[in-house]
Amino acid sequence: TAPHAAGVVSLPKALHVTRDGTLGFEFVPELRALRRSGSHSHSERLPQNSSLGARGLQLEAIVRFEPSWSEQRRPFGVRLWGDCWNCTVQVGYDPKAGELFIQRRSGIRIAVPHLLKEGEELEMHLYLDGPILEVIANGRSPSQAQVLPAARWMEMGVFGPAGVRWAHTWEIDSIH
């Protein structure tokens, strides 16, 4: 059976009340113990559709986008693609709709409201553990989806207008 078939479909998260009284989310710091020694870091603007250098079935990434790019009103974010045609997934932000979304190549789209404040950068913290993809944006908008069909490997990159301020990626050990 698949590792997530036993009902474990979400990584542990810490909840807190933010300064403005809303609910905040973050992956628990204990998950950092899953990181393998190798990591990839980018500290300058990446070209459109660039790879972040991470490849595998267990990946973690923290990606921060510059705020000026959301003003272009075009979706942008992180793309994962694998060894099968139908296993491409985009985790993005749609400035027109004010949504964080996860969209599979098949067209299936999961979206949650996410409004950026004036000048606020978009920061995505993502975990891929086999077929389960989870993201928290700006510590306040969590979402998750299954990546099916399951690939033998996935690679992580960015899509949409360039504007990555920085990105860190890690291969990780499976949570299972």
Side-chain angles (χ1 to χ4, degrees), residues 4 48 53 56 59 62 65 75 81 84 97 123 127 143 147 159 161 163 176:
H4 297 282
Q48 226 175 9
L59 302 171
I62 303 173
F65 295 87
W81 65 93
C84 58
E123 182 176 297
Y127 277 93
S143 188
V147 180
F159 74 91
H176 304 301

Side-chain angles (χ1 to χ4, degrees), residues 31 76 98 110 136 155 172:
L31 291 173
F76 60 92
I110 298 166
I136 297 175
E155 190 163 339
I172 60 171

Side-chain angles (χ1 to χ4, degrees), residues 143-157:
S143 188
Q144 69 182 48
Q146 284 190 303
V147 180
L148 296 172
R152 289 186 301 252
W153 55 265
M154 298 291 281
E155 190 163 339
M156 193 175 286

Side-chain angles (χ1 to χ4, degrees), residues 66-76 93-96 116-121 161:
E66 295 178 345
S68 61
W69 295 100
S70 65
E71 295 166 9
Q72 292 189 15
R73 313 293 290 167
R74 294 190 351 233
F76 60 92
Y93 178 67
D94 184 340
K96 276 187 186 174
L116 291 176
K117 300 172 184 108
E118 182 75 28
E120 183 180 17
E121 297 177 325

Side-chain angles (χ1 to χ4, degrees), residues 6 15 64 86 111 117:
L15 305 172
R64 181 167 283 190
N86 205 27
K117 300 172 184 108

Side-chain angles (χ1 to χ4, degrees), residues 7-107:
V8 178
V9 295
S10 186
L11 293 172
K13 296 167 191 70
L15 305 172
H16 62 278
V17 178
T18 65
R19 284 183 281 175
D20 63 1
T22 59
L23 191 58
F25 299 85
E26 60 186 78
F27 293 109
V28 296
E30 290 82 358
L31 291 173
R32 292 182 199 137
L34 297 173
R35 293 175 182 169
R36 295 187 189 154
S37 58
S39 71
H40 302 276
S41 296
H42 304 276
S43 59
E44 55 190 53
R45 187 173 295 161
L46 295 173
Q48 226 175 9
N49 301 314
S50 293
S51 172
L52 293 175
R55 184 175 178 174
L57 284 178
Q58 285 79 30
L59 302 171
E60 177 187 5
I62 303 173
V63 183
R64 181 167 283 190
F65 295 87
E66 295 178 345
S68 61
W69 295 100
S70 65
E71 295 166 9
Q72 292 189 15
R73 313 293 290 167
R74 294 190 351 233
F76 60 92
V78 174
R79 176 180 290 135
L80 294 106
W81 65 93
D83 62 340
C84 58
W85 176 83
N86 205 27
C87 56
T88 300
V89 177
Q90 291 182 337
V91 182
Y93 178 67
D94 184 340
K96 276 187 186 174
E99 293 179 334
L100 175 71
F101 65 86
I102 299 174
Q103 183 168 338
R104 290 190 248 163
R105 175 173 241 145
S106 64

